[in-house]
Amino acid sequence: MRNYAHLELQPAPGLNVFVGANAQGKSNLLEAISLLGTGKSFRTNRERDLIRDGFELATISGEAHVKAGAIRLGCTLTATPRGSRKLYTVNGRSVRYATFLGSLRVVSFVPADLHLVDGPPSVRRSFLNSALAQEQKSYYRELARYQKALSQKTALLRAEAAPDPELLKIYDETLVTSGTALMIARNHFVRALGAAASKVHARWSDGREHLELTYRPNVQFEAETEDSIAGSFEERLRAGAEMERLRRVALVGPHRDDLALDLDGRSLAAFGSQGQQRTAVLAVKVGEYAVMHERSGEAPLLLLDDVLSELDPQRARAFLEGVGEFEQAFITATQLPGALSLASVYEIRDARVIPGPS
Amino acid sequence: MPSSGSIAGPVQALINELSKLPTIGPKTAARLVFYLLNRPRNEAQSLAEAILAVKDRVRLCSNCFSITEEDPCPICTDERRDATIICVVAEAKDIFALERTGAYKGRYHVLGGLISPMDGIGPAQLRVKELVDRVGRENPHEIILATNPNAEGEATAVYLSRLLTPLASAVTRLAYGLPIGGDLDYADEVTLAKAIEGRRTL
């Protein structure tokens, strides 16, 4: 996979730190581990890039010890003329993505996550989606149904001919049923995430600052019930139908949701200093870890790709303390971060993993 | 393996032709070509003729749009088949699957695809108007919608059911459920949930 021809690794419990210069294969290693959890790369949508240049196949497999016992997970990518194909296995049996997903829970933190506050809403939506899809299979299923119907609706609106109203109605019905499920799940999750993130944030600021996370659904609703949300959704679709036809875009629904991050009641993106924004992102990531830990009843794997080197030592230490007792973590860094103790250290040089301190 | 420039022209040409086929990549194509090279000439000839015959002699039935040698097709002209039931399928190959069961005695209608605006396919690109005309003409008792249980198949079935319900006495959809001989704990959650929804009294 990527620059690795072959690698076998038996990581230690606790902290595993991969140290090496740039472009030696540190992130590739983490990417491979995350692939076993989420089934997707945390870096790219073009999965063909995961296959080593000049080869047609990439395969990663691992044994994980989870609450349910030991499981063997595998993911194989095969190059095809138009991209790549992925096959998933659990205990040697080939399974669908929906079955594979969530067998091993992973929380990853990569430099791109630092834009959770100052990036566009799509960054926050995909953060919510990947956390929730890992946690609930039904969320992934509804998301896939929603996105399919949305693409069909968009294509219909963009077509030269006037959209067939009956057909538009059929896609809108799917958007409402799946979209309502997404909104309910996001609402619950953001509430739990907000509570966990603001708790750790309060500890860091000695209670001087208050971090607040608020779910900002595109379709606002009064009561958090399926009927109320679906009702508001239908109403907004009816009211917006004319505008959607004119602008040829699907304007209504959770594909336009956002997540607001406020510090002491003021928008962090607009008013927060860079330091405040970073601390908030760390708190959100610690919150994600805590919520996933609590909801699944087991500690997720923690993957930190190069973020500790981007943070000052004080914040790096605060983050690791915030996460608390993780069972296993994988960290990459160009230099051994001072914040780490009791770590198993490996040096990565030209796609080779050399145990022992560098 | 020699580079493509050093392979005899006709060999390369056939590899190129075969790799255009679905599920066949350049490697499989090369294997087929070298296999054919070692077979007697008459085998190659009958393969070539069979391919041409498919193009020259097979056409669409003007009634149900299935593929046939004679128009109308044998299913549409078979008096023993029930003309009051029309089973709507996406492609002619679906008829082969249903016919293998031997359980269906009615007639068919081939849509020629499924509704998918992303792929530029709307009701106008399919034989929907032909179906509506046929239903008006033949006045069937039942129309069975036998499209695939995926997003496009579902959307097409819902669209057709709304269009046809005022015109026919019964519009039905194939049941969803568990594969026969399967195990409950091997079934995925969606299929199982659909099977519970579609349960029936014994």
Side-chain angles (χ1 to χ4, degrees):
Chain A
M1 186 173 139
R2 295 263 191 197
N3 64 337
Y4 290 91
H6 182 80
L7 173 71
E8 266 181 60
L9 183 70
Q10 175 100 48
L15 268 182
N16 290 272
V17 185
F18 303 105
V19 182
N22 286 325
Q24 300 299 306
K26 300 189 302 291
S27 299
N28 297 349
L29 196 57
L30 240 58
E31 187 181 28
I33 297 170
S34 105
L35 206 60
L36 289 183
T38 62
K40 287 193 171 152
S41 159
F42 57 57
R43 284 201 295 194
T44 178
N45 287 324
R46 280 192 323 175
E47 289 179 325
R48 204 198 165 122
D49 293 353
L50 293 167
I51 301 172
R52 202 168 183 232
D53 281 345
F55 287 77
E56 299 202 349
L57 195 97
T59 180
I60 155 99
S61 58
E63 192 176 280
H65 296 265
V66 295
K67 211 170 48 178
I71 45 167
R72 273 179 298 121
L73 298 168
C75 179
T76 300
L77 282 111
T78 321
T80 62
R82 266 168 296 163
S84 62
R85 207 159 42 99
K86 251 186 310 184
L87 285 175
Y88 300 101
T89 59
V90 175
N91 291 328
R93 208 169 61 209
S94 137
V95 293
R96 285 160 49 171
Y97 177 59
T99 311
F100 181 85
L101 189 66
S103 313
L104 170 68
R105 287 182 165 75
V106 169
V107 172
S108 58
F109 191 2
V110 301
D113 288 329
L114 293 169
H115 295 297
L116 215 50
V117 174
D118 66 358
S122 60
V123 174
R124 290 177 287 279
R125 280 195 300 272
S126 59
F127 163 70
L128 291 179
N129 285 343
S130 61
L132 277 161
Q134 238 196 110
E135 192 194 47
Q136 306 166 16
K137 280 183 189 164
S138 59
Y139 186 91
Y140 166 72
R141 216 159 41 228
E142 297 297 351
L143 183 65
R145 277 189 70 201
Y146 185 89
Q147 281 167 343
K148 189 70 177 272
L150 183 65
S151 309
Q152 296 287 22
K153 178 182 175 179
T154 306
L156 204 55
L157 291 169
R158 296 219 177 124
E160 251 167 68
D164 181 329
E166 282 306 310
L167 208 47
L168 214 46
K169 208 166 107 194
I170 289 171
Y171 295 125
D172 277 345
E173 284 165 7
T174 308
L175 292 184
V176 169
T177 46
S178 293
T180 299
L182 298 182
M183 287 159 69
I184 290 174
R186 286 178 181 178
N187 197 37
H188 277 250
F189 181 71
V190 172
R191 207 181 297 140
L193 182 71
S198 108
K199 203 168 109 191
V200 68
H201 192 273
R203 207 164 65 220
W204 288 343
S205 68
D206 288 326
R208 282 191 309 270
E209 289 176 332
H210 177 61
L211 173 71
E212 195 173 12
L213 268 65
T214 321
Y215 176 42
R216 293 253 182 271
N218 173 265
V219 174
Q220 281 164 27
F221 49 87
E222 278 171 24
E224 197 193 337
T225 63
E226 218 174 289
D227 287 348
S228 159
I229 297 177
S232 316
F233 202 160
E234 280 164 3
E235 212 168 285
R236 279 280 313 278
L237 280 169
R238 259 195 308 277
E242 186 64 34
M243 188 56 85
E244 288 190 325
R245 263 199 303 277
L246 275 171
R247 291 185 47 193
R248 301 184 152 207
V249 198
L251 295 167
V252 179
H255 60 289
R256 299 211 154 201
D257 280 357
D258 200 357
L259 171 67
L261 291 101
D262 296 303
L263 198 64
D264 298 329
R266 286 177 10 135
S267 156
L268 259 168
F271 300 106
S273 69
Q274 223 212 338
Q276 284 174 323
Q277 293 188 356
R278 288 204 156 190
T279 306
V281 172
L282 296 186
V284 170
K285 278 285 157 180
V286 170
E288 183 192 359
Y289 188 87
V291 171
M292 205 178 281
H293 194 166
E294 196 197 309
R295 287 190 173 184
S296 67
E298 60 187 321
L301 282 189
L302 184 62
L303 306 178
L304 308 179
D305 187 21
D306 237 4
V307 274
L308 294 188
S309 357
E310 291 228 3
L311 299 169
D312 51 84
Q314 203 185 335
R315 282 205 175 82
R317 202 168 299 121
F319 175 75
L320 288 171
E321 279 164 10
V323 167
E325 283 177 31
F326 48 83
E327 278 170 25
Q328 199 175 29
F330 296 87
I331 295 174
T332 65
T334 40
Q335 289 172 344
L336 194 60
L340 305 172
S341 51
L342 293 174
S344 310
V345 179
Y346 310 82
E347 193 191 342
I348 309 266
R349 201 189 305 144
D350 195 19
R352 256 183 288 276
V353 177
I354 304 147
S358 57
Chain B
M1 197 161 148
S3 76
S4 55
S6 61
I7 294 185
V11 169
Q12 190 58 52
L14 186 53
I15 290 177
N16 291 347
E17 288 304 318
L18 289 174
S19 0
K20 291 178 193 163
L21 300 175
T23 77
I24 297 195
K27 276 188 179 169
T28 311
R31 221 161 85 202
L32 293 174
V33 170
F34 287 107
Y35 172 82
L36 285 170
L37 270 175
N38 288 324
R39 305 303 299 170
R41 186 179 191 283
N42 63 351
E43 261 185 43
Q45 174 135 22
S46 56
L47 175 63
E49 278 165 7
I51 291 172
L52 283 177
V54 165
K55 292 309 293 179
D56 294 344
R57 302 222 304 269
V58 175
R59 54 199 153 142
L60 296 185
C61 170
S62 54
N63 189 47
C64 73
F65 302 95
S66 176
I67 49 171
T68 177
E69 260 194 275
E70 300 136 49
D71 185 19
C73 74
I75 292 179
C76 284
T77 50
D78 187 343
E79 288 298 327
R80 288 163 305 175
R81 297 196 72 117
D82 189 345
T84 66
I85 311 178
I86 299 177
C87 178
V88 180
V89 295
E91 306 283 354
K93 68 178 165 61
D94 299 328
I95 294 182
F96 286 92
L98 286 160
E99 282 300 289
R100 271 200 307 271
T101 68
Y104 179 65
K105 298 291 177 217
R107 290 187 175 152
Y108 293 96
H109 186 89
V110 181
L111 291 171
L114 292 170
I115 297 173
S116 175
M118 276 159 82
D119 304 302
I121 302 172
Q125 279 69 44
L126 302 173
R127 292 180 201 103
V128 171
K129 188 183 171 297
E130 289 84 343
L131 176 61
V132 173
D133 290 348
R134 188 175 161 195
V135 168
R137 205 165 57 233
E138 295 178 9
N139 207 4
H141 291 315
E142 182 177 355
I143 299 164
I144 305 174
L145 301 173
T147 51
N148 285 335
N150 56 21
E152 289 77 21
E154 282 305 308
T156 307
V158 174
Y159 182 85
L160 290 178
S161 76
R162 287 181 190 167
L163 193 66
L164 298 171
T165 303
L167 308 175
S169 11
V171 179
T172 57
R173 176 95 176 95
L174 284 193
Y176 309 97
L178 300 169
I180 303 292
D183 251 356
L184 272 193
D185 58 349
Y186 277 4
D188 66 282
E189 307 94 274
V190 192
T191 308
L192 209 48
K194 282 284 181 191
I196 292 172
E197 266 176 50
R199 70 190 184 278
R200 46 191 272 189
T201 44
L202 288 175

